[in-house]
Amino acid sequence: NIANPVEGLLKQKLKPQITGQLLFNGEETYDLARKVWNGMIDRKPAVIVRCLNSSDVSHAINFARNHHLTLAVRGGGHSLPGYAVCEGGMVIDLSAMNKVTVDTASKTASAEGGALWSDFDKATQDQGLATTGGTVSHTGIGGLTLGGGQGWLHNGYGFTCDNLISAEVVLANGELVVANKDQNPDLFWAIRGGGGNFGVVTTFEYQLHNIGPLVLGGMILYPMEQAKKALQFYREFSMSAPDQLGMLSGLFTTPDGIPVIALAPAWFGDISDGQNVLQPLREFGEPLADLIDIIPYVQLQTMFDAAVPHGMHRYLKMGYLPALDDDAIDYILEYVSNKKSPYSIVLFNSIKGVATKRAPADTAFVHRNPQWHFDILSQWSDPQDTAQNVQWTRDFWQKIEPFTKGTGTNFLDADDGERIKTAYGENYARLSLIKTKYDPDNLFNINNNIKPSS
């Protein structure tokens, strides 16, 4: 096979060593397996190794290292730049490793690295338990955790990485190690915010919290004419409310073509207390619809799934807003009114409470100030519309970037290379030293890469 000269070697040397599958170009399941969340990504790896256990991962890593293959790692496949797949190299695909086990006595959960948050939430919610886990259920637990991990619960319980107790990691030399506060503590520090730079995490162990099966949440929709006042209200309300409240705001177009702003709260506590806390919100403005109700937590976790389906073309810019200034609001509303695709979304998420209580150096995730996560997610379906959507996003970002400070590791796009050190902030130097210890040859480089120290 001239197009894939290593295929024979893979079949001869690697295939007998693993219990999973090797997928090659031309096979029936190959094209489906190489697709990722962002429809802009169209890469053809030499092989996709669909692993079933840590041993499979170790053998795959050893083969890739020994034969100088580019190596990508796939969990949920949600990376905006498509880091879950590479051109001409090897993909370690963890998607079949998705088992979640809950220990109700210790309120912990052990989850394999390929699990999605839908897998995790289903297992933990059987016991009324949860941990901070994003806002879209088809996101993978691995990438979100390793990059810090925000969600509905971070104000009350900290970021996802703050709830990580232990991990099993396959290193660049193929060795399986445990990383926690007692074993390889430097590696444990690094994987809580340092991304996939240090190895392949095959098992995560999380602390869980009693939130019950039902929460008070949903969204209130307002017409765009009320958007400035709604964002000003959100600015004050989201930061002054108790930490049991998680709160997002989004600017988007409804399925029937109406541009709206949504204020989306989720209360984790006594429902009657939550009704009192949310009363000022429910009395604000003249909404098109008030969709707040007592709903299952798993329903809350899927509320935005349909807005960000697999296969759309995507481009993103993200930063943290220390303040939500009126000038910034004006720029945001100006650009939203001229967006190039009805599918594009502008999103805010308030960060306060427990998520901000740790020192920036306590974990590799450095962004610990009270602030708003802000992102511009361009989405479109026709590849011919790529140029205008990307340009709109870049122009928009150029106006807003001066109001921001720092960015999140999980929210960098392919052309954000110069912002990588900003994402890791003051922790970058330490991360680089740890990278040198665990991956000196930078085998794990298909990511928001931390270079080994020279």
Side-chain angles (χ1 to χ4, degrees):
N1 188 340
I2 296 173
N4 187 354
V6 298
E7 183 173 328
L9 198 57
L10 283 157
K11 289 179 176 178
Q12 179 187 355
K13 299 290 187 182
L14 182 59
K15 190 172 183 179
Q17 293 181 302
I18 70 166
T19 54
Q21 294 176 284
L22 302 187
L23 304 178
F24 298 99
N25 194 359
E27 295 180 350
E28 185 177 352
T29 56
Y30 172 85
D31 280 329
L32 183 61
R34 69 184 182 87
K35 288 183 179 179
V36 291
W37 178 64
N38 187 351
M40 287 183 72
I41 309 303
D42 182 21
R43 299 182 188 135
K44 295 182 178 180
V47 64
I48 299 169
V49 185
R50 184 156 283 169
C51 300
L52 295 182
N53 50 50
S54 296
S55 177
D56 286 358
V57 174
S58 178
H59 288 306
I61 287 173
N62 288 336
F63 187 96
R65 184 190 65 249
N66 292 336
H67 295 89
H68 308 290
L69 288 179
T70 301
L71 183 62
V73 182
R74 178 183 183 129
H78 254 252
S79 158
L80 256 297
Y83 289 145
V85 64
C86 58
E87 185 68 37
M90 174 188 288
V91 172
I92 290 179
D93 183 350
L94 304 178
S95 61
M97 296 173 60
N98 57 12
K99 184 179 179 181
V100 181
T101 304
V102 179
D103 185 329
T104 54
S106 62
K107 294 182 186 174
T108 59
S110 176
E112 292 182 318
L116 306 181
W117 284 107
S118 56
D119 301 316
F120 188 91
D121 293 335
K122 183 179 184 299
T124 59
Q125 273 292 286
D126 282 347
Q127 310 298 330
L129 301 168
T131 201
T132 307
T135 55
V136 174
S137 75
H138 49 72
T139 309
I141 66 166
L144 189 133
T145 303
L146 297 174
Q150 63 180 36
W152 293 104
L153 287 162
H154 61 238
N155 292 340
Y157 299 102
F159 294 118
T160 313
C161 66
D162 299 333
N163 290 281
L164 184 66
I165 300 170
S166 186
E168 293 183 357
V169 188
V170 183
L171 303 176
N173 64 4
E175 182 185 359
L176 176 66
V177 300
V178 173
N180 55 38
K181 64 182 180 63
D182 299 315
Q183 299 170 268
N184 301 298
D186 55 347
L187 179 61
F188 184 53
W189 179 87
I191 63 173
R192 289 177 292 162
N197 275 283
F198 307 95
V200 179
V201 181
T202 53
T203 305
F204 296 86
E205 184 182 1
Y206 298 95
Q207 185 65 57
L208 301 175
H209 308 279
N210 272 321
I211 65 161
L214 299 174
V215 300
L216 181 65
M219 65 176 73
I220 302 180
L221 303 179
Y222 301 89
M224 287 300 291
E225 294 76 33
Q226 297 180 50
K228 183 169 184 176
K229 288 184 177 179
L231 281 175
Q232 290 170 330
F233 177 87
Y234 170 74
R235 175 179 65 197
E236 305 305 323
F237 184 77
S238 66
M239 284 296 176
S240 61
D243 293 343
Q244 295 102 307
L245 184 74
M247 192 165 181
L248 282 69
S249 178
L251 296 148
F252 56 89
T253 303
T254 65
D256 52 356
I258 302 173
V260 297
I261 178 169
L263 301 184
W267 174 260
F268 301 96
D270 182 83
I271 297 294
S272 60
D273 291 343
Q275 299 280 17
N276 292 331
V277 169
L278 294 187
Q279 186 174 351
L281 168 62
R282 304 186 82 169
E283 293 176 349
F284 168 76
E286 299 177 20
L288 296 170
D290 181 340
L291 305 176
I292 295 173
D293 203 350
I294 300 170
I295 58 174
Y297 174 75
V298 290
Q299 180 179 333
L300 176 75
Q301 283 287 83
T302 62
M303 190 165 68
F304 293 118
D305 284 12
V308 288
H310 281 78
M312 295 285 286
H313 290 237
R314 294 185 166 88
Y315 183 77
L316 177 135
K317 292 296 176 191
M318 177 267 164
Y320 292 107
L321 292 167
L324 192 46
D325 295 341
D326 284 351
D327 287 346
I329 290 174
D330 287 340
Y331 284 132
I332 289 165
L333 296 181
E334 173 191 346
Y335 274 89
V336 167
S337 70
N338 294 304
K339 66 183 182 179
K340 304 306 178 185
S341 167
Y343 303 112
S344 294
I345 300 170
V346 169
L347 187 69
F348 304 82
N349 195 352
S350 60
I351 298 171
K352 60 189 287 286
V354 175
T356 66
K357 295 296 191 275
R358 301 186 77 147
D362 277 0
T363 65
F365 187 79
V366 73
H367 305 289
R368 297 291 181 170
N369 296 318
Q371 57 198 340
W372 287 271
H373 168 110
F374 168 77
D375 66 46
I376 309 161
L377 178 61
S378 289
Q379 302 185 117
W380 61 99
S381 56
D382 188 341
Q384 294 185 359
D385 294 336
T386 295
Q388 64 174 344
N389 281 281
V390 169
Q391 192 60 52
W392 173 80
T393 313
R394 288 174 175 167
D395 292 344
F396 189 170
W397 177 246
Q398 189 174 13
K399 282 287 190 181
I400 298 301
E401 187 175 16
F403 295 93
T404 68
K405 184 177 181 182
T407 187
T409 310
N410 282 341
F411 298 92
L412 296 173
D413 217 315
D415 58 358
D416 276 327
E418 78 284 355
R419 301 178 70 210
I420 286 177
K421 287 190 177 181
T422 304
Y424 298 120
E426 62 199 60
N427 288 333
Y428 185 86
R430 184 178 174 189
L431 284 164
S432 181
L433 289 171
I434 297 171
K435 175 75 169 181
T436 306
K437 176 179 176 180
Y438 289 99
D439 185 17
D441 298 321
N442 203 12
L443 178 67
F444 300 112
N445 62 77
I446 307 298
N447 48 40
N448 291 314
N449 196 230
I450 297 166
K451 302 290 192 298
S453 59
S454 55

